[in-house]
Amino acid sequence: VRGAASGAAHDAFTYDPMNPVPVARRRRVLQRGASLGGSFDQRGIEARADVLVYTSDVLESDLEVTGFVRAKLFVSSDARDTDFTVKLVDVHPDGAAFNVDDTILRARWREGYDEAVFMEPGEVYALSPRP
Amino acid sequence: MSTSHVFLEGHRIRVEISSSKFPQYMRNLNTGGNNVDETERNGFTLIGHEKQVLPGSVAHYIAISRERKLALVGVKGTSGLEELITDCVGGIVTHALEGPFIQGSPREVRCHEGIALAATRLAEDLGVIVQALLLPAGYRLLITGHSLGAGVAALVAVILRSRIPRLRDDEDGVIRVLAFGSPPVLDHDAALACAGFVSSIVNNSDVIPRMSLSNLVVMSRMLQAVHDKMAEKGVSPQDLKSTAALMQWLARGTDGEMIMSVDEVRAGLNQVLAEVELTDPDHLYVPGKVIHMYDLWGSSGDEREAEGSVDEQAVSGESTADDGSGRRRAAERVYVGDGTSSELRHIEMEARLLSDHLPAAYRDSIQVLLSPAKTG
């Protein structure tokens, strides 16, 4: 998986709680209580400025992935606490990008849920969002 | 994460990193607080929050800024579009006021029944706070809302001004309303008369501010005109199996000829508009000064819509996407008028008439309009 943005040492984005990343779902405005589950094309979401996107080269053969998918993030934030989301996506040859699975971690719980540990600006932390 | 999935040959694997997935997960407000009942935001402190929604009343909050001597009242809109449409086509009643809401105005307004009920109750609650606390302490009042909440906000201001003479002093701007995507809620005279204290913001083709009886009259007459034209060409709508089939047929026409030319449609629309009486007591309008945010057909907005490259959008840094299934137009221009402006006098029959109403669509347009790059 190679970086989408550049060969820069890090990629950055600005999260605005007043404009959070939405859950992709079927476009039915009149349907209330639409289910949140399911696999939908993520390209609209990936176009947002607050979503970092990393894409592999084209696979030369089928690749089965079974089991836990672990992500390790090295992060730094100017906020004491924020959330980090990781989404695994299957990109079809036509460009359609379907979500396979995703996870989320609130940074203050990175050392365990028994004690909140806040971040310091400028420090880099290794996060492993759990299943 | 855990999965069992085969990435097929020719596919690519992608990872997205971000900081929110709303509304599945509650937002982190990034304050380090508990994110649940934090009451400080942008210098405002929450002093009241009525969360319960009962028939005929609306949820709302009151927050104050001591520094700015400003009280902010937010009125909740309807949770679903069906409810809103039902609300908008409900009965229109005459609502008696205790006094004039501007100098010399009549002591009654025509408005929608459900909105009048909700606004009367909210005005009862707010009136006490305004008179006992806010006015003596020199506070100004800003009432805001989206959708049904916007309509209620405007009417609450009208009712409060009719009761409390001090609020009628427009030079001070003691009470102001910002109404986002308000349905038509006031009669012709009242809608125009509150321009001094109500600003309504309308995004693009949003159908809700256009959901008025007079516009339904306009639309039905236009449909009648199309129907007549079809009869002239010897086609009956019954011959066509679905609305989609009808639309396709209308676009294609017969023998390569359009059923109605654009000029014919425009002339027909102008004629119908001239026939509809603006001051009909059953016709309601979007209140106050109307700020219409829009983009031009075929202008950059459509180009951006047409281009499909995700990378280019990401590079440009414009977050025009919302729910992952479509690209949204953000308005780039502003027109200032009132509830009787021609832009609002017919329903824009286009695919985005509902999505343009969503709060996120309003936020996008406002962000684009306020971004420094666009003001040059």
Side-chain angles (χ1 to χ4, degrees), chain A residues 28-60:
Chain A
R28 272 191 205 156
V29 179
L30 285 174
Q31 181 183 317
R32 293 180 61 205
S35 106
L36 296 169
S39 194
F40 301 102
D41 194 346
Q42 304 292 316
R43 280 179 290 182
I45 283 171
E46 289 165 359
R48 293 174 59 103
D50 59 352
V51 179
L52 300 181
V53 179
Y54 303 92
T55 310
S56 75
D57 290 329
V58 173
L59 294 173
E60 287 169 4

Side-chain angles (χ1 to χ4, degrees), chain A residues 30, chain B residues 81-90 92 112 115 147-148 181-186 202 205-219 282-286 339 343-349 353-354 357:
Chain A
L30 285 174
Chain B
L81 276 166
E82 307 102 314
E83 291 167 38
L84 181 62
I85 290 166
T86 316
D87 288 337
C88 291
V89 295
I92 295 164
H112 173 257
I115 287 176
S147 198
L148 179 77
S182 173
V185 288
L186 287 174
V202 176
S205 304
D206 184 353
V207 71
I208 298 304
R210 297 171 170 90
M211 193 59 82
S212 67
L213 201 55
S214 68
N215 284 352
L216 291 178
V217 170
V218 169
M219 191 165 80
D282 282 339
H283 289 179
L284 302 184
Y285 298 89
V286 172
E343 288 77 13
L344 296 184
R345 292 201 57 210
H346 59 273
I347 293 168
E348 295 271 12
M349 294 305 288
L353 85 180
L354 289 174
H357 179 65

